[in-house]
Each structure stands twice: as C-alpha cells, then as structure tokens.
Amino acid sequence: MTGQKWFARVLAGAVAVGICATGALARAQEMLLSEEGVLENGDMVLPSDNSLYDQFTFEGKAGQTVTIKLFSTEFQPYLAVISPEGEVLGENHSAGGNPQNSQLELTLATDGTYIVIANGFDASSRGRYTVEVMVAE
C-alpha cells in the first residue's frame, strides 16, 4: 500500500481506505473524545513498520459527520480510524500540509464503537500528542 500503513494486520479487519480532506466551515461542534497521550516505549507496536501506537474509542451514530484530529509538536503524527466492523475507514499523516497535524473527516455508516489509532509516521516517533473527535451539531 503506497503511502498507507497496514493497520488491518493489527486489528484483523478488512481494508477499505477512504482519506478525506476537510473544507472546514465554521459550525458548532460536540466533542466525543479529547485525550492527551504519549507515544513511549512499552506502547503497542505496529508490525508493518515497528512504530508505536495507542488506541482510543468513541461511540458514533449512523449519519454523523465527525472530524478526528491528532496533533503533536514532538513527532509527525499518523492517524487511523477503524469501524465497529473492524474496517480501516481512513488514514492520514498530515493535515493542510502541516506535518504536526493529522486530520480526517468521515460520515459514519453505522452506530457503534469506533477506534482511533494514534501513531507516529515512523518507528522513531516518540512524544506527547492530543487526539480529538468532534461531531457537527
């Protein structure tokens, strides 16, 4: 997969990659997830490139459009979102040309628990990050 990581190996899901760029319009946002974390030795390791990752979950509803953001000033973040069925819905490693931000905008197909993967662009990625999931009201 050129330019994409292989998260399905870790999560045993089918690969259905859909990368979305946002055309951000000002609108009210409901926060579904807001977490700070650290990529550090002892975290889970992605077998395809030996990079560290953490995972977070949020409850989504069919038809919701969500914006998922991962940002760090200490490493180049890499973001992936997994559906309740285990499918990779999207991956991204830079938002708007900024290597310190990753962002996806997705419209959810089903109700359920979605997984957000906070990862670094390569195996040397370490440091603090923030992950957020917001839904338009």
Side-chain angles (χ1 to χ4, degrees):
M1 292 177 63
T2 304
Q4 303 295 309
K5 294 196 178 201
W6 190 254
F7 288 96
R9 285 186 183 167
V10 174
L11 299 166
V15 177
V17 176
I19 296 177
C20 301
T22 63
L25 297 175
R27 56 187 170 195
Q29 300 279 315
E30 175 189 352
M31 188 72 68
L32 296 180
L33 174 71
S34 180
E35 296 283 342
E36 292 185 7
V38 180
L39 284 183
E40 58 190 348
N41 292 338
D43 285 349
M44 295 175 277
V45 177
L46 186 65
S48 63
D49 69 354
N50 293 318
S51 63
L52 301 175
Y53 73 97
D54 294 326
Q55 62 184 40
F56 301 90
T57 60
F58 71 93
E59 293 301 316
K61 293 183 172 51
Q64 281 181 324
T65 298
V66 295
T67 301
I68 304 102
K69 298 179 181 180
L70 174 64
F71 39 92
S72 174
T73 59
E74 299 180 14
F75 64 91
Q76 187 175 357
Y78 197 101
L79 168 68
V81 179
I82 313 299
S83 75
E85 295 79 22
E87 295 178 357
V88 178
L89 297 178
E91 301 178 45
N92 187 280
H93 68 85
S94 68
N98 184 342
Q100 294 181 319
N101 296 316
S102 292
Q103 180 173 313
L104 291 170
E105 186 170 308
L106 303 168
T107 300
L108 306 180
T110 61
D111 291 356
T113 302
Y114 290 78
I115 299 171
V116 176
I117 303 294
N119 182 237
F121 187 70
D122 58 33
S124 68
S125 299
R126 305 279 188 284
R128 298 184 183 283
Y129 63 85
T130 302
V131 63
E132 296 177 345
V133 178
M134 294 169 284
V135 62
E137 293 182 348

